[in-house]
Amino acid sequence: MSLTGTSTAGTLTLTAAPTITFDTGALTTTGNQTYNSAVVLGVDVTVTSSFGTVRFNGTIEGSGTAGTKSLTVAGNAIFGDAAVDTVGAGNPLEFLSVTGTARIFANVTTS
């Protein structure tokens, strides 16, 4: 599943096999965002949840040259729900930024 364009929604839950690919730079919701599959960043991405939490229940990887994609969460975030979940292990992110509270249950690798 590929996300393109700028999206705005109340609450968003996505599950896709094998991955969810972000090909859009911004996605905003007023409620929770939950990604129940591996996430690939095709571009630098900012996800915003005004009154909820952004939850990644899988791996997060950049694409292309290692260390060139970034993830910013404007709001609260939870990373990982299993011991095998990672952020940037196969393709490190340039940076990971969270403006709210972050709970990290994954190994994180940035360049």
Side-chain angles (χ1 to χ4, degrees), residues 5-105:
T6 301
S7 302
T8 303
T11 298
L12 178 66
T13 301
L14 295 176
T15 304
T19 60
I20 298 165
T21 301
F22 275 89
D23 289 321
T24 183
L27 193 134
T28 301
T29 61
T30 55
N32 295 329
Q33 293 179 34
T34 304
Y35 302 94
N36 288 317
S37 302
V39 169
V40 175
L41 305 178
V43 296
D44 294 331
V45 175
T46 299
V47 291
T48 303
S49 177
S50 303
F51 300 106
T53 298
V54 179
R55 182 176 194 122
F56 294 93
N57 294 329
T59 61
I60 303 170
E61 300 291 342
S63 65
T65 304
T68 61
K69 304 298 184 294
S70 63
L71 175 61
T72 299
V73 178
N76 299 322
I78 299 172
F79 297 95
D81 70 339
V84 297
D85 293 339
T86 60
V87 176
N91 190 327
L93 303 183
E94 180 182 8
F95 64 85
L96 173 66
S97 174
V98 179
T99 64
T101 301
R103 295 189 330 185
I104 300 174
F105 304 103

